[in-house]
């Protein structure tokens, strides 16, 4: 079983739609949860992070963590064509490693 | 204010040759991580280094792969006797500390193609 599972998509939505991206994980030691955005041929960049269960909002982006279900989500409101990218969830615990999902490819159509 | 730098951005090697990938961390960062990204797969941790020390190499293949981060100069990921299966994007990340909650900043990657 993979440490982190993420639906690779691809996901295609019209501009202005609400996007929901999700990951599940198996390791209950994970405490730090992140979402990275990766544009084509670029390195990943950190979008949001959270330490605990609950919601964290930053502009159009909301990260949600449910530790009891081992499930994390990223919501994008009023999606824009510039949001088109691959979104990677990542998580870590007591060790040094970050564990990444496979990434979900998102296209926002104008 | 330069970010993480990697070179070369693209590297083509024939089977059996050596590949050397370089990573210069962000200014003030002394912790470096190497990841490999295969097509249709996520980033896979390979190795974590501090200056002159390998801290965690649990993700490194046992043979042909090695990494170093000398006191002076960039971190180097070295792949000897490359095979087609080594073709991938290799990303380097750096951070200020090695704590699990510390943000890792990624470079643009080196895309290795083995012919």
């Amino acid at each position: 079983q993979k440490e982190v599972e993420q639906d690779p998509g691809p996901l295609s939505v019209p501009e202005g739609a609400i996007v929901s991206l999700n990951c599940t994980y198996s390791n209950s030691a994970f405490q730090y949860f992140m979402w990275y955005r990766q544009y084509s041929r670029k390195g990943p960049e950190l979008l949001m992070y959270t330490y605990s269960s609950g919601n964290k909002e930053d502009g159009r982006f909301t990260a949600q963590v449910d530790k009891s279900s081992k499930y994390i989500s990223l919501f994008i409101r009023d999606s824009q064509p510039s949001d088109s990218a691959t979104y990677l969830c990542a998580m870590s615990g007591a060790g040094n490693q970050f564990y990444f999902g496979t990434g979900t490819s998102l296209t926002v159509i104008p | 204010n330069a970010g993480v730098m990697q070179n070369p951005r693209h590297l083509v090697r024939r089977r059996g040759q050596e590949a050397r990938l370089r990573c210069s961390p962000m200014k003030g960062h002394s912790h470096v991580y190497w990841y490999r990204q295969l097509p249709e797969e996520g980033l896979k941790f390979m190795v974590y280094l501090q200056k002159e020390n390998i801290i965690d190499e649990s993700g490194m293949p046992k043979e042909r792969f090695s990494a170093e981060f000398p006191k002076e100069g960039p971190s180097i990921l070295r792949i000897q006797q490359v095979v087609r299966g080594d073709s991938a994007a290799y990303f380097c990340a750096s951070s200020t500390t090695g704590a699990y909650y510390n943000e890792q900043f990624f470079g643009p990657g080196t895309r290795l193609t083995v012919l």
Side-chain angles (χ1 to χ4, degrees):
Chain A
Q1 185 185 9
K2 285 184 181 178
E3 297 269 8
V4 181
E5 299 274 2
Q6 183 176 9
D7 186 340
L11 194 57
S12 184
V13 301
E15 184 175 352
I18 296 174
V19 176
S20 172
L21 305 166
N22 312 293
C23 289
T24 58
Y25 63 96
S26 56
N27 190 341
S28 56
F30 289 148
Q31 301 176 54
Y32 183 59
F33 304 92
M34 298 152 277
W35 286 95
Y36 278 81
R37 180 173 59 193
Q38 185 177 19
Y39 291 111
S40 182
R41 301 292 183 180
K42 304 284 187 187
E45 54 178 345
L46 183 66
L47 202 55
M48 294 186 73
Y49 67 89
T50 183
Y51 289 102
S52 57
S53 285
N55 293 355
K56 182 177 181 180
E57 194 172 312
D58 183 2
R60 296 184 296 108
F61 298 88
T62 300
Q64 196 172 77
V65 174
D66 181 350
K67 281 189 171 181
S68 62
S69 302
K70 296 191 179 66
Y71 188 87
I72 71 170
S73 301
L74 177 71
F75 298 97
I76 307 174
R77 288 185 302 281
D78 188 24
S79 55
Q80 303 295 309
S82 58
D83 295 329
S84 298
T86 296
Y87 290 81
L88 301 156
C89 63
M91 42 201 83
S92 64
N96 311 112
Q97 296 187 32
F98 282 11
Y99 294 85
F100 283 84
T102 52
T104 300
S105 175
L106 171 67
T107 301
V108 180
I109 303 166
Chain B
N1 204 8
V4 178
M5 299 175 70
Q6 290 187 250
N7 67 80
R9 295 291 308 276
H10 301 275
L11 183 61
V12 179
R13 286 286 177 267
R14 296 192 179 278
R15 280 178 296 170
Q17 291 183 320
E18 179 180 286
R20 279 185 179 236
L21 288 62
R22 293 175 187 77
C23 169
S24 296
M26 284 181 70
K27 190 175 180 181
H29 288 193
S30 58
H31 299 255
V32 166
Y33 310 79
W34 285 94
Y35 292 84
R36 178 164 62 178
Q37 188 174 42
L38 290 163
E40 310 303 323
E41 293 189 22
L43 289 161
K44 298 283 190 232
F45 169 81
M46 298 181 75
V47 62
Y48 161 44
L49 310 103
Q50 278 184 272
K51 284 283 186 181
E52 300 184 276
N53 288 305
I54 296 174
I55 309 300
D56 181 353
E57 57 181 347
S58 58
M60 286 275 270
K62 295 285 187 283
E63 297 176 352
R64 303 188 296 107
F65 286 72
S66 62
E68 63 177 13
F69 189 14
K71 189 176 178 182
E72 301 290 338
S75 175
I76 307 284
L77 179 68
R78 183 181 176 207
I79 312 172
Q80 294 178 289
Q81 298 176 318
V82 296
V83 300
R84 287 226 173 99
D86 297 332
S87 295
Y90 292 83
F91 290 94
C92 163
S94 72
S95 65
T96 53
T97 77
Y100 70 88
Y101 50 81
N102 212 214
E103 182 178 354
Q104 294 181 16
F105 293 83
F106 281 81
T110 293
R111 276 152 188 85
L112 172 65
T113 301
V114 179
L115 301 178

